[in-house]
PDB file of all heavy atoms in Angstrom:
ATOM      1  N   THR A 134      39.945 -53.592  27.092  1.00  0.00           N
ATOM      2  CA  THR A 134      39.359 -54.912  26.976  1.00  0.00           C
ATOM      3  C   THR A 134      40.301 -55.972  27.598  1.00  0.00           C
ATOM      4  O   THR A 134      39.889 -56.832  28.273  1.00  0.00           O
ATOM      5  CB  THR A 134      39.050 -55.244  25.558  1.00  0.00           C
ATOM      6  OG1 THR A 134      38.123 -54.274  24.973  1.00  0.00           O
ATOM      7  CG2 THR A 134      38.441 -56.649  25.379  1.00  0.00           C
ATOM      8  N   GLU A 135      41.594 -55.834  27.244  1.00  0.00           N
ATOM      9  CA  GLU A 135      42.558 -56.774  27.798  1.00  0.00           C
ATOM     10  C   GLU A 135      42.602 -56.654  29.329  1.00  0.00           C
ATOM     11  O   GLU A 135      42.716 -57.767  29.972  1.00  0.00           O
ATOM     12  CB  GLU A 135      43.898 -56.493  27.149  1.00  0.00           C
ATOM     13  CG  GLU A 135      44.964 -57.468  27.575  1.00  0.00           C
ATOM     14  CD  GLU A 135      46.302 -57.192  26.926  1.00  0.00           C
ATOM     15  OE1 GLU A 135      46.332 -56.645  25.806  1.00  0.00           O
ATOM     16  OE2 GLU A 135      47.366 -57.583  27.482  1.00  0.00           O
ATOM     17  N   LEU A 136      42.569 -55.462  29.870  1.00  0.00           N
ATOM     18  CA  LEU A 136      42.626 -55.290  31.328  1.00  0.00           C
ATOM     19  C   LEU A 136      41.366 -55.930  31.963  1.00  0.00           C
ATOM     20  O   LEU A 136      41.450 -56.617  32.999  1.00  0.00           O
ATOM     21  CB  LEU A 136      42.692 -53.781  31.657  1.00  0.00           C
ATOM     22  CG  LEU A 136      43.985 -53.139  31.291  1.00  0.00           C
ATOM     23  CD1 LEU A 136      43.871 -51.584  31.526  1.00  0.00           C
ATOM     24  CD2 LEU A 136      45.209 -53.721  32.044  1.00  0.00           C
ATOM     25  N   MET A 137      40.251 -55.752  31.359  1.00  0.00           N
ATOM     26  CA  MET A 137      39.002 -56.325  31.907  1.00  0.00           C
ATOM     27  C   MET A 137      39.071 -57.857  31.817  1.00  0.00           C
ATOM     28  O   MET A 137      38.620 -58.552  32.785  1.00  0.00           O
ATOM     29  CB  MET A 137      37.808 -55.807  31.199  1.00  0.00           C
ATOM     30  CG  MET A 137      36.454 -56.329  31.873  1.00  0.00           C
ATOM     31  SD  MET A 137      34.995 -55.482  31.251  1.00  0.00           S
ATOM     32  CE  MET A 137      33.689 -56.299  32.194  1.00  0.00           C
ATOM     33  N   ASN A 138      39.479 -58.392  30.693  1.00  0.00           N
ATOM     34  CA  ASN A 138      39.612 -59.833  30.588  1.00  0.00           C
ATOM     35  C   ASN A 138      40.558 -60.416  31.574  1.00  0.00           C
ATOM     36  O   ASN A 138      40.347 -61.517  32.137  1.00  0.00           O
ATOM     37  CB  ASN A 138      39.983 -60.218  29.110  1.00  0.00           C
ATOM     38  CG  ASN A 138      38.868 -60.171  28.150  1.00  0.00           C
ATOM     39  OD1 ASN A 138      37.764 -60.421  28.491  1.00  0.00           O
ATOM     40  ND2 ASN A 138      39.146 -59.769  26.944  1.00  0.00           N
ATOM     41  N   ARG A 139      41.611 -59.711  31.881  1.00  0.00           N
ATOM     42  CA  ARG A 139      42.540 -60.134  32.883  1.00  0.00           C
ATOM     43  C   ARG A 139      41.946 -60.177  34.247  1.00  0.00           C
ATOM     44  O   ARG A 139      42.099 -61.123  35.043  1.00  0.00           O
ATOM     45  CB  ARG A 139      43.797 -59.183  32.866  1.00  0.00           C
ATOM     46  CG  ARG A 139      44.928 -59.661  33.795  1.00  0.00           C
ATOM     47  CD  ARG A 139      46.068 -58.642  33.779  1.00  0.00           C
ATOM     48  NE  ARG A 139      46.569 -58.462  32.422  1.00  0.00           N
ATOM     49  CZ  ARG A 139      47.419 -57.544  32.046  1.00  0.00           C
ATOM     50  NH1 ARG A 139      47.887 -56.659  32.939  1.00  0.00           N
ATOM     51  NH2 ARG A 139      47.804 -57.426  30.818  1.00  0.00           N
ATOM     52  N   GLN A 140      41.072 -59.148  34.541  1.00  0.00           N
ATOM     53  CA  GLN A 140      40.414 -59.166  35.833  1.00  0.00           C
ATOM     54  C   GLN A 140      39.402 -60.266  35.901  1.00  0.00           C
ATOM     55  O   GLN A 140      39.214 -60.908  36.974  1.00  0.00           O
ATOM     56  CB  GLN A 140      39.704 -57.788  36.071  1.00  0.00           C
ATOM     57  CG  GLN A 140      39.084 -57.622  37.410  1.00  0.00           C
ATOM     58  CD  GLN A 140      38.579 -56.237  37.655  1.00  0.00           C
ATOM     59  OE1 GLN A 140      38.622 -55.389  36.716  1.00  0.00           O
ATOM     60  NE2 GLN A 140      38.102 -55.945  38.823  1.00  0.00           N
ATOM     61  N   ILE A 141      38.716 -60.589  34.782  1.00  0.00           N
ATOM     62  CA  ILE A 141      37.772 -61.636  34.708  1.00  0.00           C
ATOM     63  C   ILE A 141      38.428 -62.977  35.047  1.00  0.00           C
ATOM     64  O   ILE A 141      37.921 -63.799  35.794  1.00  0.00           O
ATOM     65  CB  ILE A 141      37.116 -61.696  33.348  1.00  0.00           C
ATOM     66  CG1 ILE A 141      36.108 -60.517  33.176  1.00  0.00           C
ATOM     67  CG2 ILE A 141      36.330 -63.024  33.138  1.00  0.00           C
ATOM     68  CD1 ILE A 141      35.580 -60.365  31.806  1.00  0.00           C
ATOM     69  N   ASP A 142      39.610 -63.215  34.492  1.00  0.00           N
ATOM     70  CA  ASP A 142      40.380 -64.365  34.742  1.00  0.00           C
ATOM     71  C   ASP A 142      40.763 -64.491  36.218  1.00  0.00           C
ATOM     72  O   ASP A 142      40.737 -65.646  36.822  1.00  0.00           O
ATOM     73  CB  ASP A 142      41.604 -64.521  33.799  1.00  0.00           C
ATOM     74  CG  ASP A 142      41.234 -64.702  32.331  1.00  0.00           C
ATOM     75  OD1 ASP A 142      40.147 -65.214  32.074  1.00  0.00           O
ATOM     76  OD2 ASP A 142      42.057 -64.336  31.511  1.00  0.00           O
ATOM     77  N   GLU A 143      41.178 -63.368  36.761  1.00  0.00           N
ATOM     78  CA  GLU A 143      41.677 -63.379  38.101  1.00  0.00           C
ATOM     79  C   GLU A 143      40.637 -63.757  39.210  1.00  0.00           C
ATOM     80  O   GLU A 143      40.913 -64.514  40.126  1.00  0.00           O
ATOM     81  CB  GLU A 143      42.351 -62.084  38.479  1.00  0.00           C
ATOM     82  CG  GLU A 143      43.592 -61.750  37.734  1.00  0.00           C
ATOM     83  CD  GLU A 143      44.106 -60.311  38.035  1.00  0.00           C
ATOM     84  OE1 GLU A 143      43.395 -59.591  38.730  1.00  0.00           O
ATOM     85  OE2 GLU A 143      45.257 -59.977  37.578  1.00  0.00           O
ATOM     86  N   VAL A 144      39.444 -63.273  38.957  1.00  0.00           N
ATOM     87  CA  VAL A 144      38.360 -63.585  39.957  1.00  0.00           C
ATOM     88  C   VAL A 144      37.576 -64.831  39.531  1.00  0.00           C
ATOM     89  O   VAL A 144      36.686 -65.242  40.296  1.00  0.00           O
ATOM     90  CB  VAL A 144      37.407 -62.362  40.066  1.00  0.00           C
ATOM     91  CG1 VAL A 144      38.193 -61.116  40.540  1.00  0.00           C
ATOM     92  CG2 VAL A 144      36.742 -62.112  38.725  1.00  0.00           C
ATOM     93  N   GLY A 145      37.891 -65.449  38.384  1.00  0.00           N
ATOM     94  CA  GLY A 145      37.237 -66.635  38.037  1.00  0.00           C
ATOM     95  C   GLY A 145      35.772 -66.498  37.501  1.00  0.00           C
ATOM     96  O   GLY A 145      34.996 -67.430  37.511  1.00  0.00           O
ATOM     97  N   THR A 146      35.509 -65.284  36.919  1.00  0.00           N
ATOM     98  CA  THR A 146      34.226 -65.037  36.330  1.00  0.00           C
ATOM     99  C   THR A 146      34.097 -65.833  35.038  1.00  0.00           C
ATOM    100  O   THR A 146      35.094 -65.810  34.213  1.00  0.00           O
ATOM    101  CB  THR A 146      34.018 -63.553  36.064  1.00  0.00           C
ATOM    102  OG1 THR A 146      34.163 -62.860  37.300  1.00  0.00           O
ATOM    103  CG2 THR A 146      32.673 -63.270  35.466  1.00  0.00           C
ATOM    104  N   PRO A 147      32.965 -66.474  34.776  1.00  0.00           N
ATOM    105  CA  PRO A 147      32.828 -67.225  33.423  1.00  0.00           C
ATOM    106  C   PRO A 147      32.964 -66.250  32.282  1.00  0.00           C
ATOM    107  O   PRO A 147      32.591 -65.074  32.400  1.00  0.00           O
ATOM    108  CB  PRO A 147      31.447 -67.809  33.519  1.00  0.00           C
ATOM    109  CG  PRO A 147      31.086 -67.842  35.001  1.00  0.00           C
ATOM    110  CD  PRO A 147      31.810 -66.687  35.656  1.00  0.00           C
ATOM    111  N   THR A 148      33.446 -66.723  31.171  1.00  0.00           N
ATOM    112  CA  THR A 148      33.534 -65.868  29.933  1.00  0.00           C
ATOM    113  C   THR A 148      32.101 -65.799  29.361  1.00  0.00           C
ATOM    114  O   THR A 148      31.152 -66.493  29.711  1.00  0.00           O
ATOM    115  CB  THR A 148      34.439 -66.524  28.971  1.00  0.00           C
ATOM    116  OG1 THR A 148      33.909 -67.805  28.501  1.00  0.00           O
ATOM    117  CG2 THR A 148      35.824 -66.734  29.504  1.00  0.00           C
ATOM    118  N   ILE A 149      31.942 -64.886  28.375  1.00  0.00           N
ATOM    119  CA  ILE A 149      30.653 -64.723  27.684  1.00  0.00           C
ATOM    120  C   ILE A 149      30.239 -66.056  27.070  1.00  0.00           C
ATOM    121  O   ILE A 149      29.055 -66.419  27.148  1.00  0.00           O
ATOM    122  CB  ILE A 149      30.766 -63.642  26.639  1.00  0.00           C
ATOM    123  CG1 ILE A 149      31.065 -62.277  27.336  1.00  0.00           C
ATOM    124  CG2 ILE A 149      29.449 -63.530  25.825  1.00  0.00           C
ATOM    125  CD1 ILE A 149      29.949 -61.793  28.306  1.00  0.00           C
TER     126      ILE A 149
END
Side-chain angles (χ1 to χ4, degrees):
T134 300
E135 184 177 334
L136 292 174
M137 184 171 181
N138 281 325
R139 186 180 304 171
Q140 187 173 5
I141 289 171
D142 291 337
E143 289 176 356
V144 299
T146 302
T148 65
I149 296 300

